[in-house]
Amino acid sequence: MSVHVRLRVASEAYAMPVEHVLEVADLGQVRAVPRSRPELLGVRNLRGQVLPVVDLALLFGIPRTVPPGRMIVAEAGGRRAGFAIDEVSGVGELGDPAEETESDLLVGAALGGGDLIGVIDVPRVFDSLEQA
């Protein structure tokens, strides 16, 4: 078991390893970047640091009914970004991902609190953003 930040993206439950999470903040004012990828909502100034803000719902192909209101700031391999989410539902231990998933951006899925929770592969998410 390892510690994860549990979050909701649209109607889906996900978890991000706590070692990659720097903070959770309100989404705030995000400025669009012309001709950027659709999942890049734009950039946000967070206490003097300009961060790209990526919508995890668009990245994962999940339909969204309401705009995101929160942002989880994550880092991996010297890369840092904000990821737009709907809410953080908790922080705690989560079993190792034992279920396979169809997404290359997840290491797998684990059962937690009656939910099947997709565990985000943060380095792979950053890699996929750089490749496009």
Side-chain angles (χ1 to χ4, degrees):
M1 288 198 159
S2 55
V3 179
H4 288 75
V5 176
R6 294 184 190 189
L7 49 113
R8 287 240 171 240
V9 176
S11 62
E12 303 288 324
Y14 291 96
M16 189 176 283
V18 75
E19 64 264 17
H20 292 293
V21 177
L22 300 175
E23 70 178 285
V24 177
D26 287 330
L27 187 57
Q29 185 175 7
V30 178
R31 299 211 183 262
V33 176
R35 295 186 294 273
S36 62
R37 301 173 53 149
E39 49 282 332
L40 180 67
L41 294 178
V43 294
R44 176 166 185 244
N45 185 330
L46 184 65
R47 288 184 301 286
Q49 181 177 20
V50 177
L51 293 174
V53 178
V54 176
D55 188 343
L56 280 181
L58 288 174
L59 190 65
F60 292 155
I62 303 168
R64 191 181 270 295
T65 56
V66 296
R70 307 283 286 161
M71 175 177 74
I72 192 163
V73 180
E75 185 175 54
R79 302 168 290 186
R80 185 178 293 187
F83 294 97
I85 60 171
D86 292 273
E87 69 177 353
V88 169
S89 54
V91 177
E93 288 189 349
L94 185 65
D96 292 332
E99 302 292 325
E100 290 187 26
T101 64
E102 294 178 14
S103 175
D104 290 339
L105 302 177
L106 302 176
V107 294
L111 283 174
D115 285 332
L116 189 60
I117 301 169
V119 179
I120 300 170
D121 187 333
V122 178
R124 192 172 289 170
V125 167
F126 279 110
D127 290 346
S128 76
L129 292 170
E130 286 180 352
Q131 291 173 0

